[in-house]
Amino acid sequence: MYERAYRIAIPNRNMYNNPVPGQRKNYNNYTSLGTQVVDRFVNHIQASLTPPFKRWVELKAGDSVPEEISDQLNKAYSDFTKVGFEMLDASNFNVAISESYYDLAVGTSCLLVSEGDDNAPFIFTAVPPEQVTLVEDGYGRVYMIFRKHKIEAALIKETWPTARLSAEMQRLINSNPLCDVEVLEVTYKVGKKYYYEVFNNSTQDKFVESVMSRSGWVITRLGKVPGEPYGRGPVIVALEDLQMYNKAKELMIRSAQMSTFGMYTVADSDIINPNTLVLSPGMMIPVSRNAGANGPSIAPLPGAGNLDMQQFMLADLQNDIKTIMMNDRMPPEIGAVRSATEYALRGQSRQIDVQSYFGRLQYEMVQPLWQNMLTIMYEKEVLGDIPPELITIDNMLLKVRVVSPLAKEQGIIDMQNTIQTIQTAQALAGLEAVNASYKMEDLPYILARDSGMTQDLLRTKEEREQFMAQAQQAAQMQQMAEMAGMSSAAA
């Protein structure tokens, strides 16, 4: 199923059937619609969730942490967020995540997070799903990952500096360093530890074995079905429509050829065998006669089919495909003039479609990605003196809050609902009842927090209380000064 999806929608990323580098992969594709809708899907997901060179998450203390402690932790987590994005922007993340989103459109993305050097602190690799085999535990979580791929012999020691090479492999590297060696990487979890092993797949020799505190893999699935370790993304959902659209385009091209060049019957005394007759543009078909009483010896063959109906069918298929791939946010350029309300409603509908994926993207992509990053940052000693349990994303002590455009839009909706509720309560019960029911003094802070404002601009609870006390003291002093002035004037 994945091979069919890649072949028709993302042919250049189709790694099935052992392709040769530089090989043409779009044979039998008569339309680029699949590539167009996937490109727009990837651009939309990246701009909504991980916009390049922008801060799209925020590390924060969990809700169970007391406010007095969380204020101190949030300052440290705010610094960690800054450092994380500086290191992220210095790496190849924006390139690799875009490639990974193409695989996610089919259903499963496999992103590998590796430790880099000082110039590129992280190295991200978008691994094709064709190379990966996933194994789930009883709760539907991926706990074992196999990757089989080829690597040049000369790069083995560079990729795995601690590799213990056999004498046979060392001779191979020395004699033919450019030959490809098929390796099998295995990553699995036992308890809280991750085990990593690398084998020479042809000889089954294990030359790397290590225990790690992180997996390194970020496996994300869309449209996951229980019991299946892989996802069924929007390309899989639209697969039949894409295939039908491609076939309809092929038939339209053949129909146009026949309409342009025509087909003809030619008088002949032989008998036609319909089992061997192949219709093609410009061909001449021998027949006994095509008119009575020794009529014309050559005549055009009447055409068949209705191009208008074909166009109608193609338009329906195209709309269905664009809807599935969330490409229908803009009305068609032809037809009646659309109102601004329709454009706004289409934009809201698009955001709702993306939010259906938001929970799984948060759980399977954002959190594992930042957990790998924090672990590497801790091992590089760029986080300072902090206990390792405080950089474990468990949503109790530490959580990752997404502040991308998609999450901000949801925050704005929550803000609008809050303001509308307060206004309704004030209209029905009055301002005094609102002040008695709601913590109005905390409203500006909560609205700023939910809108995604950076933590650097928000006061802590102690700072807010101190500011309010100073403001009240200043108001009292001003009131006393006014009263003194009035007394002196009366005297």
Side-chain angles (χ1 to χ4, degrees), residues 243-263:
Q243 290 178 321
M244 187 179 298
Y245 187 89
N246 185 65
K247 189 65 177 179
K249 275 286 190 178
E250 178 187 358
L251 296 177
M252 280 193 65
I253 294 173
R254 296 184 183 277
S255 177
Q257 287 179 320
M258 292 181 181
S259 299
T260 302
F261 298 102
M263 294 183 295

Side-chain angles (χ1 to χ4, degrees), residues 79-293:
D79 294 336
F80 295 168
T81 304
K82 291 180 183 177
V83 175
F85 273 103
E86 289 175 356
M87 298 173 67
L88 198 69
D89 293 339
S91 68
N92 67 327
F93 172 77
N94 293 317
V95 176
I97 195 64
S98 178
E99 297 178 8
S100 185
Y101 284 145
Y102 280 96
D103 298 325
L104 190 64
V106 178
T108 304
S109 71
C110 306
L111 187 67
L112 185 60
V113 186
S114 306
E115 182 177 351
D117 51 24
D118 294 335
N119 295 325
F122 307 122
I123 299 176
F124 298 92
T125 307
V127 179
E130 183 270 338
Q131 297 180 358
V132 177
T133 299
L134 306 177
V135 182
E136 290 185 329
D137 61 10
Y139 300 97
R141 300 171 300 187
V142 176
Y143 82 101
M144 183 176 291
I145 303 166
F146 297 87
R147 182 193 180 193
K148 185 169 64 174
H149 62 108
K150 294 180 180 180
I151 185 173
E152 288 185 6
L155 298 178
I156 291 178
K157 199 64 178 178
E158 178 182 346
T159 306
W160 299 282
T162 60
R164 301 185 303 273
L165 303 180
S166 63
E168 180 183 355
M169 184 176 292
Q170 191 62 56
R171 284 194 300 268
L172 177 64
I173 294 174
N174 295 335
S175 61
N176 192 3
L178 297 182
C179 72
D180 288 334
V181 177
E182 189 174 58
V183 298
L184 176 65
E185 301 180 47
V186 186
T187 306
Y188 58 96
K189 184 179 182 181
V190 178
K192 295 184 178 180
K193 294 294 184 179
Y194 293 91
Y195 294 82
Y196 177 68
E197 301 172 358
V198 184
F199 298 83
N200 183 334
N201 197 51
S202 59
T203 63
Q204 299 300 311
D205 291 333
K206 182 194 300 184
F207 57 88
V208 174
E209 184 176 11
S210 62
V211 181
M212 305 181 299
S213 58
R214 64 184 185 90
S215 167
W217 286 99
V218 179
I219 307 295
T220 312
R221 287 85 54 89
L222 287 186
K224 186 180 178 303
V225 177
E228 295 182 355
Y230 299 89
R232 295 173 179 254
V235 173
I236 297 295
V237 177
L239 185 56
E240 282 72 22
D241 289 338
L242 284 168
Q243 290 178 321
M244 187 179 298
Y245 187 89
N246 185 65
K247 189 65 177 179
K249 275 286 190 178
E250 178 187 358
L251 296 177
M252 280 193 65
I253 294 173
R254 296 184 183 277
S255 177
Q257 287 179 320
M258 292 181 181
S259 299
T260 302
F261 298 102
M263 294 183 295
Y264 304 89
T265 58
V266 182
D268 188 84
S269 59
D270 295 333
I271 299 176
I272 296 176
N273 183 357
N275 295 323
T276 60
L277 179 63
V278 178
L279 300 179
S280 63
M283 73 174 300
M284 294 187 180
I285 306 172
V287 296
S288 296
R289 279 292 172 186
N290 47 33

Side-chain angles (χ1 to χ4, degrees), residues 294-340:
N294 297 328
S297 59
I298 181 171
L301 187 68
N306 190 331
L307 285 177
D308 293 336
M309 286 301 297
Q310 294 178 25
Q311 292 286 359
F312 181 76
M313 182 186 68
L314 285 177
D316 282 349
L317 283 173
Q318 192 174 40
N319 290 333
D320 292 343
I321 293 169
K322 288 186 176 182
T323 300
I324 294 172
M325 298 299 299
M326 296 182 291
N327 282 189
D328 61 341
R329 59 189 181 275
M330 299 296 289
E333 296 179 357
I334 59 176
V337 177
R338 264 65 178 186
S339 64

Side-chain angles (χ1 to χ4, degrees), residues 17 100 183 211 284 353 362 418 435 490:
N17 300 323
S100 185
V183 298
V211 181
M284 294 187 180
D353 292 338
Q362 164 80 5
T418 301
N435 290 329

Side-chain angles (χ1 to χ4, degrees), residues 411-486:
I412 292 173
I413 294 174
D414 295 338
M415 289 169 52
Q416 292 174 347
N417 294 335
T418 301
I419 295 173
Q420 185 177 3
T421 301
I422 294 174
Q423 290 176 345
T424 304
Q426 183 176 347
L428 295 176
L431 182 59
E432 293 183 359
V434 171
N435 290 329
S437 302
Y438 305 129
K439 298 179 180 180
M440 297 300 294
E441 65 277 6
D442 292 336
L443 182 60
Y445 172 81
I446 293 174
L447 293 180
R449 181 197 64 189
D450 292 343
S451 67
M453 181 180 292
T454 177
Q455 291 288 328
D456 297 337
L457 297 178
L458 299 180
R459 300 181 187 274
T460 64
K461 183 179 181 181
E462 295 178 355
E463 292 174 341
R464 295 199 304 272
E465 292 176 350
Q466 183 180 1
F467 179 81
M468 293 296 295
Q470 292 176 354
Q472 291 177 358
Q473 184 179 2
Q476 292 174 358
M477 293 179 63
Q478 183 178 0
Q479 186 177 6
M480 293 174 61
E482 291 177 354
M483 293 178 61
M486 293 174 61

